[in-house]
Amino acid sequence: MARLVKKVDRKQGAEAGALLSIFVYLLLSTGKLLAGAVFGSDAVEADGWNNLSDIIASSAVYIGMKIAKKPRDCNHPYGHSRAENISSLLAAFLMMSIGIDVITSGIRSLFGKEKAAAPDVLAAVVALASAAVMIGVYAINRRLARRTNSMALAAVAKDNLSDALVSIGAAIGIAGARLGWPWLDPLAALVIGAMIGKTAWEVFMETAHTLTDGFDEQQLAVYKDEIAAVSGVRDVADIKARMLGNDIVLEVTIRVDSHLTVAKSHEIADEVERLMRNRHNIRATHVHVEPEAVR
């Protein structure tokens, strides 16, 4: 029962972090898009579109978390954990679309015939204030991610930090334009658009890797060595793992003394499961026991 309560609290904490990001991004994107238009800053406006893409990504993570909490049913015997991955994949495509649009607008401003006027200094103030807010949100979400052991929220926290850096970059572009380099502001918009595209590509690649049952080979080697060291395990014949949402499912085949009783072999398998659960917080370890070949 305590484990169930802890799991529910972990999910709720992760959801709270995603909701915080959505709320802050909603305020910032609205403010930046207005400020960019009023104060004539392509960089701040691009940063506003960047935050709009972040709303999509954070919303996708939040919806995925809600769906992933649904219990398994006859059509989903492994549960709904991968809903979070599907949402992230959709978010990646939407973010890439916004990134391309921001880059296109930046190119038009940079190479347009009309020389753009330098943005108002208040645009830089908006960008720096946004950076300060995002650093605070990053700190909160990073703490929540560590407390809840949520990979999705950890990714959101990293995105929060990158958004703070993007806003600082926008402020630098505006300052350069005010000092007599008007091309620096649309150039900053181009860089921001490229960063949106880069983030979208990284999200896509990571999600696609997970959905195709990709797994870290080095981490798998760690599991294998630890299982091989369990008392009674003679050899690890096979081991593989995959992700179901944020949870790891491990499948391992171990060899034991062929003269052991079924009960004793089962005890060894239980010890392997406990080790993986306690040391690595693995949701499920499926252990197949085989007798060691008689030589």
Side-chain angles (χ1 to χ4, degrees):
M1 177 62 72
R3 189 181 302 156
L4 177 61
V5 171
K6 184 177 181 181
K7 186 173 183 179
V8 170
D9 290 341
R10 180 175 73 85
K11 294 291 186 182
Q12 290 176 342
E15 288 174 11
L19 280 175
L20 173 64
S21 292
I22 293 170
F23 176 73
V24 173
Y25 282 139
L26 183 61
L27 293 179
L28 292 181
S29 62
T30 303
K32 288 178 187 177
L33 290 173
L34 289 174
V38 173
F39 301 136
S41 172
D42 292 324
V44 169
E45 189 171 352
D47 198 8
W49 285 110
N50 176 40
N51 289 152
L52 185 63
S53 73
D54 292 321
I55 293 174
I56 297 170
S58 296
S59 297
V61 169
Y62 178 73
I63 292 170
M65 287 177 176
K66 298 294 286 185
I67 296 175
K69 287 170 61 177
K70 294 175 61 177
R72 63 183 184 178
D73 53 40
C74 58
N75 292 322
H76 300 85
Y78 290 99
H80 298 76
S81 297
R82 282 189 170 171
E84 197 169 323
N85 303 124
I86 300 296
S87 299
S88 297
L89 200 62
L90 176 61
F93 290 124
L94 294 173
M95 289 168 64
M96 182 63 74
S97 175
I98 291 175
I100 292 172
D101 184 63
V102 170
I103 291 173
T104 303
S105 298
I107 291 174
R108 283 199 298 264
S109 298
L110 188 61
F111 298 104
K113 293 182 179 180
E114 295 184 5
K115 186 177 179 181
D120 194 293
V121 69
L122 289 177
V125 174
V126 170
L128 290 175
S130 171
V133 171
M134 289 315 305
I135 288 174
V137 175
Y138 160 72
I140 293 172
N141 278 340
R142 183 182 63 170
R143 191 179 304 115
L144 273 174
R146 290 177 176 175
R147 186 183 304 167
T148 60
N149 195 32
S150 171
M151 293 175 61
L153 190 57
V156 170
K158 290 179 182 178
D159 191 38
N160 297 151
L161 181 59
S162 70
D163 290 328
L165 297 177
V166 165
S167 294
I168 293 173
I172 293 173
I174 294 166
R178 297 287 300 178
L179 292 173
W181 300 304
W183 50 266
L184 201 54
D185 183 61
L187 181 62
L190 275 176
V191 173
I192 291 171
M195 291 184 68
I196 297 173
K198 179 177 179 292
T199 301
W201 178 254
E202 290 174 349
V203 171
F204 170 78
M205 290 300 294
E206 182 179 354
T207 306
H209 183 257
T210 300
L211 287 174
T212 54
D213 287 339
F215 200 81
D216 186 355
E217 290 184 14
Q218 294 182 348
Q219 190 60 48
L220 206 57
V222 171
Y223 299 156
K224 183 176 181 179
D225 291 341
E226 292 180 356
I227 292 171
V230 172
S231 178
V233 175
R234 296 292 181 87
D235 180 38
V236 178
D238 184 42
I239 185 170
K240 51 183 174 286
R242 57 180 174 167
M243 299 294 298
L244 284 179
N246 290 324
D247 297 316
I248 299 172
V249 176
L250 186 65
E251 298 178 24
V252 57
T253 300
I254 60 174
R255 293 195 178 102
V256 300
D257 188 338
S258 59
H259 298 95
L260 293 180
T261 64
V262 173
K264 182 60 180 176
S265 299
H266 186 69
E267 287 179 10
I268 296 173
D270 284 344
E271 180 58 31
V272 170
E273 292 176 11
R274 279 192 295 270
L275 175 68
M276 294 294 99
R277 182 173 58 251
N278 296 334
R279 187 169 296 181
H280 300 287
N281 195 31
I282 292 180
R283 171 188 174 186
T285 301
H286 304 296
V287 184
H288 176 66
V289 180
E290 290 184 352
E292 185 182 30
V294 179
R295 297 175 182 174

